[in-house]
Amino acid sequence: MRKKLFMLCGINSERKLIVDLLAILFGIGSWLGINSVYVQLPLLVGNAPEGWNLPSYLVVVIQLGNIGPLLYTAALRIKTFRDSYLIITLLVLGSCAAMATAFVYDQTVHVFGEQRSVPLFITVFVLALVGCTSSVLFMPYMGRFKGIYLITYLIGEGFSGFMPSIVALIQGIGGNAECRLVNGTDPNEPPQYTSYTPPPRFGTRPYFIVSSVILAISMVAFVLLERLSVCRREYAAVSIGNGNNYAYEPSTPNDEECRTQSEKPSAPAKGSMDRTTYLLLMGLISIMCLFGNGFFPSIQSYSCLPYGNVAYHLTVTLSSMANPVACFLAFFVQKNSVRSIVALSVVFVPFAAYALTTSITSPDPPLMHNVLGDILVVACWTLLVGLVSYIRLAITTLLRCEGGQTLVWVGVASQLGSLVGSLLSFTLVNYTDTFEQYYPC
């Protein structure tokens, strides 16, 4: 019965569901901390002294987390160590940072004559250290398993955005801002209004406490993935060197997509893929991360908030859900091709153009105060994030067969693109008049 069900769903009946479950839970811990902060932005920007510029600050702080991959890469050249110990340390650190965020997110420090959300920046940096390092540590670790489990890990990585979104939907945003008269009924005084936003069902503190618990569960799942014998039996036929430096044997029967690997699979771009295609895919994934992880998150508030808090809240939560949905769809796609990846990259362009248009035209974007405008901006951002997620996954699965070090370079290319995008957006948001804030009153 189970075999027939697997065949009906297009799932390999030889897989172990316990490994799938643990891989998903492990993947959730990769970016859950950072995604929790992003999903909570509709509430954070209203109280933070940085206001609508808060996302641009956070994106730069998150990119500082790239010091983790740099230190990890440097350490591999100095000594041999077990990656599992470092992964456990990072997940524990992430859980503690999420718990700390619950108690310091609204604290400020006087810096250079202005109040700044320094405690929040510090905890977000620690969460970013976990996320950024996961790109060159967590995903390559999963590369030592059979290829069928890399996609389930990436589904878990997608769920790192889905789960905070579910919690945020339950939490709610309270509603759109209202203008309320505050200076009484004296006819001799000009009317003065203040913006009022109804409160959510529960606050930011319980939200981050839940995130901390989920990160702790992810750590436990990894320990089981590392220790259980049933999981170790699901390793692909690989030779593991220092850290994540390993190569697949060309005759592995359970990894058919990697069967054509050459006799020297450890050499990048000289396996089953030519150098031009290899560089094209690396360039594409870097560009996708430049826009998807670096540039667009910084300007999302300018694109969505003029349509109201509800539209912004739905955009953030649904776009976070688009990530795991795209990964889940890829679960049923048996084979990706370079041509399909390029085609999807072209489809990405009009959605990116509309998102950029709505942010540049703030505080008066197209179809403002119109239900159609709300629907379009939410749908645009949701599809935009979904396309970026699917393209990244498709590229990763194609490059996986080039060996363990290639997955490390995929992580490096992803973080490099994200860094460039964050610096570009930070400069445009904070030092130019390209983006303007909308004031309801």
Side-chain angles (χ1 to χ4, degrees):
M1 176 62 72
R2 191 178 77 166
K3 185 174 182 180
K4 290 181 178 179
L5 180 62
F6 283 173
M7 291 178 63
L8 181 64
C9 297
I11 303 175
N12 189 337
S13 61
E14 298 300 320
R15 67 192 315 131
K16 300 295 182 182
L17 293 184
I18 181 63
V19 182
D20 283 313
L21 176 62
L22 293 176
I24 289 174
L25 291 174
F26 172 44
I28 286 174
S30 57
W31 288 98
L32 184 131
I34 291 303
N35 286 325
S36 297
V37 175
Y38 274 131
V39 173
Q40 199 67 182
L41 278 177
L43 293 177
L44 293 176
V45 296
N47 299 317
E50 294 81 8
W52 285 23
N53 291 348
L54 179 64
S56 66
Y57 281 90
L58 291 180
V59 167
V60 172
V61 171
I62 289 168
Q63 295 311 310
L64 293 177
N66 283 305
I67 190 174
L70 292 176
L71 292 176
Y72 169 73
T73 304
L76 284 179
R77 298 180 179 276
I78 298 174
K79 67 174 295 186
T80 301
F81 57 90
R82 292 190 62 177
D83 291 340
S84 58
Y85 295 152
L86 181 56
I87 292 174
I88 293 173
T89 301
L90 285 173
L91 289 173
V92 171
L93 195 62
S95 181
C96 294
M99 183 64 72
T101 305
F103 296 93
V104 304
Y105 72 91
D106 56 351
Q107 303 298 312
T108 61
V109 175
H110 197 72
V111 179
F112 300 121
E114 296 183 20
Q115 293 294 323
R116 295 295 182 191
S117 306
V118 175
L120 176 63
F121 294 160
I122 293 174
T123 58
V124 169
F125 168 74
V126 177
L127 293 172
L129 198 65
V130 177
C132 294
T133 308
S134 73
S135 297
V136 296
L137 186 61
F138 292 18
M139 184 171 62
Y141 174 87
M142 287 303 302
R144 67 188 64 189
F145 286 85
K146 297 174 184 177
I148 52 179
Y149 299 112
L150 178 62
I151 292 181
T152 52
Y153 165 81
L154 291 172
I155 290 175
E157 192 174 279
F159 269 103
S160 68
F162 183 84
M163 296 189 70
S165 299
I166 292 296
V167 178
L169 284 176
I170 297 172
Q171 178 188 33
I173 192 64
N176 290 325
E178 305 171 359
C179 292
R180 291 189 171 183
L181 186 66
V182 295
N183 66 331
T185 58
D186 190 345
N188 297 320
E189 294 183 8
Q192 296 180 4
Y193 296 88
T194 185
S195 177
Y196 170 76
T197 302
R201 294 185 182 90
F202 57 87
T204 298
R205 180 166 297 170
Y207 173 87
F208 280 112
I209 291 175
V210 171
S211 298
S212 175
V213 172
I214 297 174
L215 279 165
I217 293 173
S218 179
M219 185 271 295
V220 173
F222 172 75
V223 172
L224 295 176
L225 191 66
E226 169 73 10
R227 299 294 183 182
L228 292 180
S229 58
V230 66
C231 298
R232 289 179 172 271
R233 286 197 295 268
E234 294 303 297
Y235 279 7
V238 295
S239 56
I240 302 175
N242 185 19
N244 282 316
N245 185 9
Y246 52 85
Y248 298 94
E249 296 178 9
S251 58
T252 305
N254 294 310
D255 252 342
E256 294 197 9
E257 74 272 24
C258 298
R259 273 182 159 183
T260 56
Q261 192 82 357
S262 68
E263 290 298 321
K264 296 182 179 181
S266 59
K270 290 185 180 180
S272 59
M273 187 178 297
D274 62 85
R275 182 174 180 82
T276 301
T277 303
Y278 182 89
L279 294 177
L280 171 65
L281 294 178
M282 283 291 186
L284 273 178
I285 199 170
S286 185
I287 292 172
M288 288 296 110
C289 290
L290 185 152
F291 288 106
N293 297 343
F295 187 80
F296 282 125
S298 297
I299 65 172
Q300 191 175 52
S301 57
Y302 292 92
S303 172
C304 302
L305 269 175
Y307 296 95
N309 291 338
V310 174
Y312 186 26
H313 179 65
L314 287 175
T315 297
V316 171
T317 53
L318 293 180
S319 59
S320 295
M321 290 181 179
N323 189 318
V325 169
C327 294
F328 187 73
L329 290 176
F331 190 85
F332 297 98
V333 177
Q334 298 300 316
K335 187 176 182 180
N336 290 297
S337 66
V338 177
R339 182 175 298 178
S340 64
I341 290 173
V342 173
L344 289 173
S345 301
V346 174
V347 174
F348 162 84
V349 174
F351 294 103
Y354 186 79
L356 185 60
T357 299
T358 54
S359 59
I360 290 178
T361 54
S362 176
D364 189 24
L367 299 174
M368 188 178 173
H369 304 304
N370 189 306
V371 175
L372 180 60
D374 298 357
I375 294 174
L376 284 177
V377 75
V378 172
C380 173
W381 279 96
T382 302
L383 292 172
L384 182 71
V385 174
L387 282 170
V388 171
S389 301
Y390 187 89
I391 292 170
R392 285 183 57 202
L393 186 145
I395 293 174
T396 301
T397 52
L398 278 182
L399 289 175
R400 171 187 173 274
C401 298
E402 301 303 297
Q405 282 296 96
T406 294
L407 288 181
V408 174
W409 285 112
V410 167
V412 171
S414 300
Q415 295 307 320
L416 182 61
S418 301
L419 175 62
V420 173
S422 65
L423 293 177
L424 176 62
S425 61
F426 182 83
T427 302
L428 290 176
V429 168
N430 294 282
Y431 297 104
T432 71
D433 297 326
T434 306
F435 306 100
E436 296 183 25
Q437 184 170 341
Y438 166 75
Y439 297 96
C441 301

